Amino acid sequence: MKPKMSWLVLIISQSLLLSACSFGQPDRQQEESRSVTKPSVESEVVAQNLSIPWSIQKLGDGIYITQRTGGIVEIKDGKKSVIKTNLSRTLSARPEAGLLGFVLHPDFKMNQLAFAYYTYDDAGDPYNRVVVLKRRENQWSEEKVILDRIPGGQYHQGGRLEIGPDHMLYMTTGDATKQDKAQDLTYLGGKILRMKLDGGIPSNNPFDDSYVYSYGHRNPQGLAWDQDGELYDTEHGPNGFDEINLIEAGHNYGWPKITGDEKEKSLISPLAHSGEPSWAPSGADFWKGDLLFASLAGQSVKRFNTGTQQVSDLLTGFGRIRDVLVEGDTLYFVSNNTDGRGIPREHDDKLYEVDLNSLMNEE
């Protein structure tokens, strides 16, 4: 009876997830295959048994990974440890929420500071905030809140943090399922925001006294700059129609007025979109002029050729992928099979390392 009961529970849980998707709450994603596919490339497992990893950072021989459930994984000299993170608010347990974006301060070696984005609940409502963390002995501690009350929801938290070539801090925020608010410049959700590293508003931001850099976004989760300093984002669309955009200051990227190939005056259409089914794209980085990005529902690392504007699979067979990081010709990426929407492999989730030159030679 037990095997039959376990299958019944699996069927019911999948039905509930698909039912929730049909009401437009979470992003509709491909139903996960019950079979674990073979990885398409050779890779090295750098770390395993991670708990819903979200963001990768690397400095020298140290690798840092946030976990949605809390704690920052540090990997040095081949050894993994989970460093306690002392936050002033308790992490929200809502879907897609928790400890998300993370980026080291440019002067981290001297000041031991980093920035983090996390979700918490206040009086029953979810919010996101950006904080400064300081590394002390065997813990990270919240030192300062530099932006608070970023709208949160049951879904669509956004959460990516990156420092641009202009030494400004950029962050992506989701529309918190209040889709029309993505067009409201007074609402911080559904935006890409830009701030000074001390939390101030840059004088050359496109809107006066505002952190808003671009708007009309649904749930952006990837940011990356090419060698010319052009900013690209990846973002989740509605039931597919995920996007890759070239981001310019002050521009309106259309959500919810347009999606996919739709066009409207003064609104920016994507360079590429998934159509159906969904990619569910997340973290992104550049390698030799191509945008590489993580794909959750697409269960792959994908490659966007900025010349042809075509998207292809770079590697597959690792399940759901949350973030990527490129250092030289090495690709690091984390699986996200323990997030409740995937099928965990043994010792999931994992941080992998792949030699990109070897990968290209095999094509």
Side-chain angles (χ1 to χ4, degrees):
M1 293 298 291
K2 287 185 178 179
K4 291 182 179 179
M5 182 61 70
S6 64
W7 277 109
L8 179 60
V9 170
L10 177 61
I11 292 169
I12 292 173
S13 63
Q14 289 180 337
S15 298
L16 289 173
L17 176 58
L18 292 174
S19 176
C21 290
S22 69
F23 285 99
Q25 292 175 330
D27 299 310
R28 181 177 295 167
Q29 300 185 354
Q30 295 171 332
E31 185 177 356
E32 306 291 355
S33 171
R34 288 200 180 115
S35 63
V36 177
T37 58
K38 181 179 178 181
S40 59
V41 300
E42 290 189 7
S43 64
E44 178 183 344
V45 176
V46 180
Q48 58 188 12
N49 297 317
L50 305 176
S51 179
I52 319 181
W54 213 88
S55 182
I56 314 169
Q57 283 280 287
K58 189 174 188 297
L59 181 64
D61 62 352
I63 299 175
Y64 307 84
I65 304 171
T66 54
Q67 300 183 129
R68 260 182 47 200
T69 52
I72 295 173
V73 174
E74 292 188 11
I75 304 158
K76 291 186 178 180
D77 301 322
K79 296 180 180 179
K80 183 195 86 172
S81 55
V82 180
I83 308 302
K84 182 180 180 181
T85 306
N86 292 318
L87 304 173
S88 62
R89 303 299 297 259
T90 300
L91 291 173
S92 173
R94 293 170 187 264
E96 304 177 11
L99 180 57
L100 305 176
F102 178 79
V103 63
L104 299 172
H105 192 285
D107 297 324
F108 174 70
K109 286 184 178 180
M110 295 181 61
N111 61 24
Q112 296 292 288
L113 298 179
F115 302 93
Y117 184 113
Y118 73 88
T119 319
Y120 65 95
D121 293 312
D122 186 12
D125 294 320
Y127 296 94
N128 296 288
R129 58 168 38 171
V130 180
V131 301
V132 177
L133 299 180
K134 188 174 182 70
R135 181 74 161 83
R136 288 191 181 91
E137 297 179 353
N138 202 36
Q139 65 180 9
W140 290 89
S141 296
E142 182 178 317
E143 292 286 294
K144 179 183 178 182
V145 178
I146 54 176
L147 186 60
D148 204 356
R149 313 292 279 192
I150 298 170
Q154 187 69 1
Y155 302 97
H156 303 178
Q157 315 294 348
R160 188 65 56 191
L161 295 182
E162 296 290 353
I163 294 176
D166 55 3
H167 300 287
M168 298 291 177
L169 178 63
Y170 290 74
M171 62 208 71
T172 68
T173 67
D175 67 4
T177 68
K178 298 177 177 64
Q179 59 183 37
D180 291 337
K181 290 285 193 177
Q183 292 292 315
D184 182 350
L185 288 173
T186 67
Y187 181 80
L188 291 179
K191 310 293 188 293
I192 293 174
L193 308 179
R194 177 177 182 258
M195 68 165 55
K196 296 180 182 179
L197 298 186
D198 63 5
I201 297 174
S203 60
N204 59 349
N205 268 11
F207 304 104
D208 291 340
D209 196 31
S210 173
Y211 290 113
V212 174
Y213 189 74
S214 63
Y215 64 112
H217 299 286
R218 184 173 182 269
N219 191 22
Q221 291 190 3
L223 292 174
W225 288 262
D226 68 11
Q227 61 185 4
D228 297 322
E230 300 280 4
L231 174 60
Y232 290 72
D233 96 321
T234 64
E235 63 183 272
H236 293 236
N239 303 328
F241 298 95
D242 308 313
E243 297 182 355
I244 298 172
N245 291 296
L246 175 62
I247 303 298
E248 296 187 50
H251 285 197
N252 182 347
Y253 288 82
W255 175 253
K257 294 183 176 182
I258 60 170
T259 58
D261 294 325
E262 297 172 347
K263 298 183 183 299
E264 188 173 317
K265 186 177 180 180
S266 79
L267 304 182
I268 308 301
S269 299
L271 298 176
H273 67 84
S274 66
E276 295 181 299
S278 174
W279 298 326
S282 193
D285 207 347
F286 268 92
W287 182 69
K288 293 187 177 180
D290 288 343
L291 181 70
L292 310 185
F293 65 94
S295 174
L296 294 155
Q299 300 190 49
S300 57
V301 173
K302 296 188 181 295
R303 175 171 53 173
F304 172 66
N305 184 309
T306 55
T308 65
Q309 298 193 347
Q310 297 298 306
V311 176
S312 59
D313 286 345
L314 180 67
L315 55 86
T316 60
F318 299 88
R320 295 164 59 79
I321 308 299
R322 171 60 72 182
D323 196 19
V324 299
L325 182 147
V326 175
E327 183 180 66
D329 294 321
T330 300
L331 171 67
Y332 297 89
F333 60 97
V334 285
S335 63
N336 232 202
N337 297 315
T338 62
D339 67 355
R341 294 180 180 176
I343 297 176
R345 280 74 164 160
E346 186 177 10
H347 300 304
D348 265 345
D349 277 312
K350 298 171 187 167
L351 170 68
Y352 296 91
E353 177 183 334
V354 168
D355 183 316
L356 286 166
N357 281 325
S358 297
L359 179 60
M360 294 302 107
N361 291 336
E362 292 175 6
E363 290 191 340

